[in-house]
Amino acid sequence: MNILDKLKAGIATETVEDTYQVARDLAATLPEEAILTLEGDLGAGKTTFVKGLAQAWDIQEAVTSPTFNIYNIYQGTRQLAHMDAYRLEESPEIWDELMLEELIFPPFCLAIEWPSKLPFIPWPVTHRLQLTAQGEARHISLK
Ligand SMILES: Nc1ncnc2c1ncn2[C@@H]1O[C@H](COP(=O)(O)OP(=O)(O)OP(=O)(O)O)[C@@H](O)[C@H]1O
Ligand SMILES: [Mg+2]
């Protein structure tokens, strides 16, 4: 089964390395303009997943959670824009302030944690991922 079908069925990840591997596998299939939303509770593994994407594109800089600065942009073999909307006010002007469309160029991947905190996303979302953690059990799926 390919990674997209596996993700649609849902993948259990036991370790951080498993989560990295799922992200690297998905990264290899992404279109040149990929918009990923990552839903899931605190600690579900969303940022861990984005670290796996960074590995796929040879990004050397350490990926850290952009909770306070809203987003970070990393350059590797593709641009990775990592956004955490957790602290955003639900105001539509936010997108104008970010000016993301002036900062990212294909091939890129915009990965958004906490998309539910945004009033809208001004790009077509290509992949909606759901991550869950229940006790030690962790799970990733594609909606
Ligand atoms: N299989 C796994 N996949 C991902 N993370 C795991 C796994 N097992 C344990 N962990 C741990 O769970 C934590 C996940 O943290 P991470 O920052 O990725 O969560 P998050 O979903 O981004 O949370 P937040 O909403 O606070 O940003 C890390 O401490 C990581 O080491
Ligand atoms: Mg996070």
Side-chain angles (χ1 to χ4, degrees):
M1 232 199 306
N2 69 40
I3 185 64
L4 288 172
D5 288 336
K6 280 188 198 164
L7 273 170
K8 281 177 198 155
I11 300 175
T13 60
E14 287 188 7
T15 64
V16 167
E17 184 53 44
D18 289 345
T19 297
Y20 291 158
Q21 185 65 55
V22 174
R24 291 193 299 258
D25 289 347
L26 179 67
T29 74
L30 290 177
E32 295 222 307
E33 301 187 24
I35 318 284
L36 275 55
T37 56
L38 299 157
E39 291 178 53
D41 291 337
L42 291 167
K46 302 179 294 295
T47 299
T48 304
F49 188 91
V50 176
K51 289 178 182 177
L53 295 174
Q55 293 170 5
W57 299 317
D58 286 327
I59 289 163
Q60 303 301 322
E61 202 180 330
V63 170
T64 54
S65 187
T67 299
F68 294 100
N69 43 327
I70 304 174
Y71 69 90
N72 291 319
I73 297 179
Y74 304 95
Q75 185 68 57
T77 54
R78 127 171 0 212
Q79 263 186 316
L80 172 62
H82 178 203
M83 184 183 225
D84 188 330
Y86 190 72
R87 276 157 212 276
L88 288 190
E89 292 297 313
E90 301 228 346
S91 79
E93 306 83 58
I94 191 66
W95 290 106
D96 301 329
E97 289 159 19
L98 294 180
M99 295 195 303
L100 262 182
E101 65 281 3
E102 281 150 53
L103 298 171
I104 56 177
F105 302 94
F108 70 79
C109 173
L110 168 60
I112 306 173
E113 296 187 37
W114 294 102
S116 61
K117 303 281 185 188
L118 296 169
F120 67 100
I121 298 174
W123 289 293
V125 174
T126 57
H127 299 74
R128 296 175 194 276
L129 293 157
Q130 178 78 49
L131 292 88
T132 58
Q134 286 176 325
E136 291 299 293
R138 282 192 156 74
H139 193 261
I140 308 175
S141 62
L142 186 62
K143 291 206 227 171

